[in-house]
Amino acid sequence: METLSSLLFLLLTVHSVSALKCYVCASGTSNQECIKNTQDCQAPLDTCMTTVGTLGSVTAIVKTCSYSKLCTSAAASASVESNGDGVQVTCCNSHLCNYSGAASVTLHRWLMVLPLLLITLLFRQNT
């Protein structure tokens, strides 16, 4: 009987572990575009990361699963000038926490890769 009680106790206290779920978007021009797709982050990816690059009236948004340390480093290095130009990185770690983003604007092709280049450069500096 004691074994059955112990087993029942374990079943009641064990929580199912599920992967972190983030919104993902490779190169959106609006937040509405970037909240259409979700992804289960595979371990060890433990953070939802949103990168918003702005240059004048042009904005590019990237949402992805990331490593906490990489996201935090990118967020600390990102900056936005007083006129609004620059790159902003936000990190969060709860399901679908990277919901918000930028308003719809026109996107130039070369700017789509700007956030990805920044992330790559930051990653290379940390390794």
Side-chain angles (χ1 to χ4, degrees):
M1 186 66 165
E2 186 175 318
T3 304
L4 183 59
S5 296
S6 297
L7 184 58
L8 182 58
F9 176 76
L10 282 174
L11 289 174
L12 292 174
T13 58
V14 172
H15 300 281
S16 65
V17 177
S18 61
L20 176 67
K21 185 175 288 230
C22 298
Y23 289 102
V24 292
C25 179
S27 58
T29 58
S30 73
N31 194 55
Q32 288 303 96
E33 281 182 53
C34 288
I35 57 171
K36 293 179 180 176
N37 299 310
T38 62
Q39 177 180 339
D40 289 331
C41 302
Q42 300 300 315
L45 302 177
D46 59 355
T47 300
C48 298
M49 180 169 157
T50 301
T51 304
V52 180
T54 305
L55 183 58
S57 63
V58 179
T59 298
I61 303 170
V62 176
K63 294 181 184 235
T64 187
C65 296
S66 182
Y67 300 95
S68 177
K69 189 174 183 177
L70 174 65
C71 190
T72 303
S73 176
S77 300
S79 66
V80 178
E81 298 174 6
S82 60
N83 65 359
D85 288 350
V87 176
Q88 180 180 13
V89 177
T90 55
C91 313
C92 57
N93 57 7
S94 59
H95 290 296
L96 302 176
C97 59
N98 61 336
Y99 175 82
S100 50
S104 178
V105 292
T106 306
L107 179 68
H108 292 257
R109 289 179 190 241
W110 65 269
L111 192 55
M112 285 193 295
V113 296
L114 178 65
L116 295 175
L117 288 173
L118 176 67
I119 292 167
T120 303
L121 290 172
L122 290 172
F123 182 70
R124 286 184 180 170
Q125 287 177 350
N126 291 329
T127 55

